[in-house]
């Protein structure tokens, strides 16, 4: 029953197809073990990926041994890796949890590209999603924090979001499958446990279907978010000019603070700074707000946004580019998102390199016939001076193949003759 | 300190002005007693309004006596009324709570118009708002249920939303003011108590500033909602034709279900029906969905919306019209919202009556110079056939003064010579 539901969910959410090669993130805990057994028994081509974070002494090694045994029994290829998580966390000045997360997802992506897998399946389930919503709500959030965990994020997919923790445990018991348990309690796990063991049961006393309701609320809010997101994009078009944000136009919008939030939060400004900037919109010009990398100046009629990065730093691209080649089969799904670019591999017949765009650069924007100046493209799309300075291109020989994050060049497009596809991605 | 904050909040949210006459809804409980004392001592012109719902035997009468005593001491005019709440609930087939609520707000509105008050102040505070958000979340909701309680809804204003329950009690203790307590526990109160006494303290263990965070989340979501709301209005423009909803256009939208929800929920369709209708969009034509008053038909390329109301019913307006006259002073605020229409009282020099619009009707839409056919206006604004049939007009003699809920006539507008204003409102 859970098996059928998971299969249907994978199909409904188009997570991957029956022929896909799927890597399953396998910690050895109940959820990931169930995920592997389910996908394997439905008949998907699975391989497993296990990270040993060396955070729990012998327990970490016990987990690795357990996972090895399980994969051997099932005849499933296993990939393992070892991380010095504590060292990485110290070096990067991030929490242990953040470090483990970064290391894990980075390695998954490397594996996926190297072994040409179609997706990385992780074992988040419905309770995780509900707990995340409540955790965000308690810590303070906006609409994004109330969307719950999504079934897909790039190549990371979550087939178990249609199942509850209880169903997963019942399934494992039913198929008599063992799993390991984690004896540590991180700060985050401690809080999640509190939500799981105390808060949710109390909410269920008020309404027994609270988990179902929260899941539905998450799904409604996802739709509201899609409409909100489009509204923000339209509003940006109205308020942004190449020089900065037009304050008069911004104040005509139904929610100026939200629009500023969506523009400035990605640049690292925090909600309290953004509130201050919103309050300053109608006050005297001259106020300046800064963070490590950016400066916002309240000018007379404009809000100016300046980068504080030095010239040197700017010569290194602020992203890494990874690529992957695939044969172009009928079930090939063009990956969505600004971080992706797909080309006909055979058309990329000159050496590839990355550089900043230059005056005089031209390209053929995807879907168009004629050439266009990159400068005109950027102006048409309301890039600020600083944003223009930050624009990179991927070149194939002398031609621009990709105005990175913006538009690919039509001359390298996939067409009916394409046999192999190269997918580029910025990370 | 609380006094200063309440004053600032009233000014910031433009709830009413220093000269306003404010009616305070006074139950005799802590919150409403504090509200009255605060507004009175800040210096606003207050009158009190007390409802005796006769739901708690002698306790109801004790409350009325208490309120009389309090107003006498303070020298504040008191209006009281008595309701047969149980009888009304039985007659209207609604819950006791719903009945009390309807009766109360209807009476407040009547009082406001009769005594020309500017606002009715009710005593909801920050904790009420937070509890409402959690209650909605537990019962299942969309974005609207997470906005919290708003400072203004028509003429109902809530000056205490800037204060917590604790601050209110502390204030009453400080000024040595007594209040009555309600010994009953309605179902709703029972749930709210559970949220207040158990759920919120547990959330505060996880994050002590959870109430503040929830309030902020509500405020962020209000902005997101404003953007969402505009997005929905724009989407309606794109998908609605006079004949019905264009299915192809609807499916191009980022969230078709939400758009259908915003169109069909006001007609009384429930979320589960709306999910079914959404699923039917891509299936065979011919499916029909009905509720008591409306029918939705999935046609080939359109979704048709038909009224099932009989001819007779349609001859009675589906609203009540109330009016109020005021002198036109510099601080006069034109009330917003489609339910309001403001006219120069002296220009309304013929008898007023309501009727459905008729073929051949013309009017001068507010802000325009020339006449326009009502039929053209409705077509331009994408009214469906059924919506057109539902359109009413307020006439002054032979002239249309208001295309109700849509546009007033320019010939009756307020101008620099206006001395008295008449405000019409549909309820």
């Amino acid at each position: 029953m859970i098996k059928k539901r998971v299969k249907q969910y994978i199909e409904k959410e188009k997570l991957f197809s029956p022929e896909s090669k799927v890597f399953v993130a396998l910690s050895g805990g109940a959820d990931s073990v169930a995920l592997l057994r389910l996908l394997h028994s439905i008949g998907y081509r699975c391989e497993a990926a296990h990270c040993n974070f060396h955070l729990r002494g012998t327990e970490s090694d016990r987990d690795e041994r357990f996972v090895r045994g399980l994969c051997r029994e099932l005849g499933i290829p296993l990939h393992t890796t070892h991380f010095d998580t504590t060292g990485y966390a110290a070096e990067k000045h991030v929490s242990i949890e953040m470090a483990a997360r970064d290391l894990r997802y980075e390695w998954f992506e490397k594996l996926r590209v190297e072994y040409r897998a179609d997706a990385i399946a992780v074992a988040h389930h419905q309770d995780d999603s509900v707990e995340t919503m409540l955790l965000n709500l308690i810590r303070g959030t906006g609409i994004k924090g109330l969307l719950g965990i999504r079934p897909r994020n790039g190549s990371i997919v979550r087939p178990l979001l249609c199942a509850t923790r209880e169903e997963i445990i019942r399934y494992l018991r039913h198929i008599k499958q063992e799993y390991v348990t984690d004896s540590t309690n991180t700060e985050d796990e401690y809080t999640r446990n509190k939500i799981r063991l105390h808060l949710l049961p109390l909410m269920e006393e008020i309404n027994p279907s609270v988990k179902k309701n929260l899941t539905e609320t998450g799904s409604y809010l996802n739709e509201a978010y899609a409409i909100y997101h489009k509204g923000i994009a339209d509003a940006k078009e109205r308020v942004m000019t190449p020089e900065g944000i037009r304050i008069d136009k911004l104040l005509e919008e139904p929610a100026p603070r939200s629009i500023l939030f969506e523009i400035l939060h990605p640049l690292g400004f925090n909600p309290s700074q953004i509130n201050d900037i919103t309050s300053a919109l109608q006050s005297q010009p001259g106020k300046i707000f800064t963070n490590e990398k950016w400066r916002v100046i309240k000018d007379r009629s404009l809000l100016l946004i300046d980068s504080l990065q030095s010239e040197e730093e700017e010569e290194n691209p602020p992203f890494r580019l990874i690529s992957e080649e695939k044969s172009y089969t009928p079930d090939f799904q063009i990956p969505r998102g600004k971080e992706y670019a797909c080309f006909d591999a055979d058309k990329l017949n000159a050496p590839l390199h990355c550089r900043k765009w230059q005056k005089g650069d031209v390209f053929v924007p995807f879907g168009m016939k004629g050439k266009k100046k990159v400068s005109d493209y950027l102006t048409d799309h309301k890039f600020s001076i600083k944003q223009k300075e930050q624009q990179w291109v991927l070149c194939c020989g002398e031609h621009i193949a990709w105005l990175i994050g913006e538009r690919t060049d039509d001359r390298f497009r996939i067409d009916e003759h394409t046999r192999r596809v190269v997918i580029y991605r910025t990370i």
Side-chain angles (χ1 to χ4, degrees), chain A:
Chain A
M1 202 166 129
I2 187 179
K3 207 163 113 177
K4 197 173 152 195
R5 184 140 37 90
V6 168
K7 185 165 179 287
Q8 284 171 344
Y9 187 74
I10 291 167
E11 287 162 7
K12 184 178 137 251
E13 297 287 341
K14 301 193 178 65
L15 300 185
F16 40 82
S17 63
E19 304 75 32
S20 300
K21 186 201 264 191
V22 183
F23 271 48
V24 177
L26 182 67
S27 70
D31 306 338
S32 65
V33 169
L35 176 62
L36 183 68
R37 293 277 329 236
L38 279 163
L39 296 186
H40 181 62
S41 73
I42 293 169
Y44 291 107
R45 286 197 295 147
C46 298
E47 302 197 5
H50 176 80
C51 309
N52 188 330
F53 293 106
H54 291 283
L55 288 172
R56 292 173 291 127
T58 56
E59 207 175 282
S60 290
D61 298 325
R62 174 207 67 180
D63 295 356
E64 189 178 332
R65 273 196 307 280
F66 170 79
V67 159
R68 283 193 188 286
L70 175 64
C71 289
R72 201 163 41 231
E73 276 173 42
L74 297 171
I76 288 174
L78 172 69
H79 307 260
T80 56
T81 192
H82 290 244
F83 292 122
D84 171 16
T85 316
T86 325
Y88 179 93
E91 189 193 318
K92 299 273 177 180
H93 305 288
V94 295
S95 69
I96 294 285
E97 277 141 323
M98 193 77 89
R101 195 189 146 107
D102 287 357
L103 287 166
R104 181 168 63 221
Y105 283 110
E106 200 171 313
W107 181 61
F108 287 163
E109 184 57 25
K110 228 176 79 189
L111 273 184
R112 188 186 67 83
V113 172
E114 193 178 333
Y115 292 91
R116 306 194 171 183
D118 299 282
I120 305 284
V122 295
H124 294 107
H125 49 65
Q126 206 185 85
D127 293 73
D128 288 326
S129 180
V130 164
E131 287 156 23
T132 301
M133 286 171 76
L134 289 174
L135 192 62
N136 289 340
L137 195 71
I138 293 170
R139 288 180 180 166
T141 188
I143 184 168
K144 261 188 113 168
L146 298 173
L147 305 181
I149 299 176
R150 302 317 304 149
R152 170 186 286 283
N153 181 12
S155 51
I156 304 292
V157 296
R158 302 185 173 94
L160 287 190
L161 280 177
C162 61
T164 64
R165 176 181 286 115
E166 199 188 330
E167 288 169 327
I168 288 167
I169 300 295
R170 206 187 307 139
Y171 167 74
L172 289 171
R173 208 177 295 139
H174 181 70
I175 62 167
K176 298 195 171 60
Q177 172 64 55
E178 298 200 331
Y179 51 89
V180 296
T181 46
D182 187 336
S183 69
T184 59
N185 241 341
T186 60
E187 178 63 31
D188 197 66
E189 260 314 302
Y190 175 79
T191 310
R192 281 182 178 272
N193 273 331
K194 206 154 190 167
I195 291 174
R196 178 185 312 154
L197 301 174
H198 303 289
L199 196 68
L200 273 165
L202 197 57
M203 291 173 112
E204 279 172 331
E205 278 181 33
I206 298 171
N207 185 342
S209 50
V210 64
K211 281 189 205 170
K212 189 176 139 281
N213 291 350
L214 280 168
T215 305
E216 270 178 18
T217 296
S219 132
Y220 295 146
L221 289 180
N222 263 283
E223 293 183 12
Y225 183 72
I227 291 170
Y228 167 82
H229 193 72
K230 187 172 183 328
I232 289 286
D234 292 349
K236 277 190 196 167
E237 285 277 314
R238 288 189 291 267
V239 305
M240 284 178 85
T241 72
E243 290 74 34
I245 298 170
R246 283 192 56 176
I247 293 172
D248 57 344
K249 291 282 172 197
L250 181 61
L251 289 171
E252 284 171 15
E253 293 292 329
R257 180 175 62 166
S258 289
I259 296 162
L260 276 185
F261 182 87
E262 300 295 343
I263 296 169
L264 298 177
H265 194 248
L267 304 182
F269 288 93
N270 63 42
S272 129
Q273 281 178 304
I274 294 164
N275 286 349
D276 291 346
I277 296 171
T278 310
S279 308
L281 287 177
Q282 284 168 300
S283 65
Q284 291 300 310
K287 279 202 179 166
I288 297 178
F289 307 85
T290 53
N291 66 17
E292 280 172 24
K293 291 184 184 163
W294 295 88
R295 181 171 62 178
V296 170
I297 305 165
K298 155 72 171 93
D299 199 10
R300 213 162 296 268
S301 61
L302 291 173
L303 207 57
L304 308 170
I305 304 172
D306 274 351
S307 166
L308 299 176
Q309 277 175 309
S310 67
E311 294 277 319
E312 276 170 75
E313 282 175 290
E314 293 194 4
E315 291 322 302
N316 295 317
F319 51 81
R320 278 200 301 143
L321 211 53
I322 54 175
S323 71
E324 177 188 3
E325 206 172 306
K326 284 191 176 185
S327 28
Y328 186 53
T329 54
D331 71 326
F332 176 77
Q333 291 187 346
I334 294 178
R336 287 171 176 221
K338 292 203 148 196
E339 69 273 31
Y340 289 102
C342 291
F343 305 104
D344 182 324
D346 296 319
K347 291 179 182 170
L348 295 175
N349 49 10
L352 292 157
H353 69 284
C354 252
R355 61 165 172 81
K356 281 208 176 165
W357 78 282
Q358 294 158 1
K359 270 198 182 142
D361 274 349
V362 290
F363 78 129
V364 184
F366 184 86
M368 286 177 58
K369 288 278 159 275
K371 286 186 182 174
K372 192 177 177 85
K373 280 189 191 169
V374 169
S375 60
D376 288 346
Y377 178 96
L378 298 178
T379 302
D380 291 353
H381 286 75
K382 320 264 186 211
F383 276 55
S384 69
I385 293 170
K386 283 290 160 189
Q387 284 174 315
K388 284 183 182 173
E389 286 175 13
Q390 297 294 324
Q391 182 62 47
W392 288 71
V393 291
L394 174 68
C395 295
C396 173
E398 287 178 7
H399 295 308
I400 290 176
W402 185 19
L403 191 62
I404 293 173
E406 284 293 316
R407 201 75 168 262
T408 53
D409 189 290
D410 204 73
R411 292 167 292 187
F412 302 98
R413 74 183 297 171
I414 296 167
D415 59 32
E416 66 275 25
H417 307 299
T418 301
R419 293 173 304 146
R420 294 177 308 133
V421 178
V422 184
I423 305 162
Y424 271 86
R425 186 180 176 199
T426 54
I427 56 171

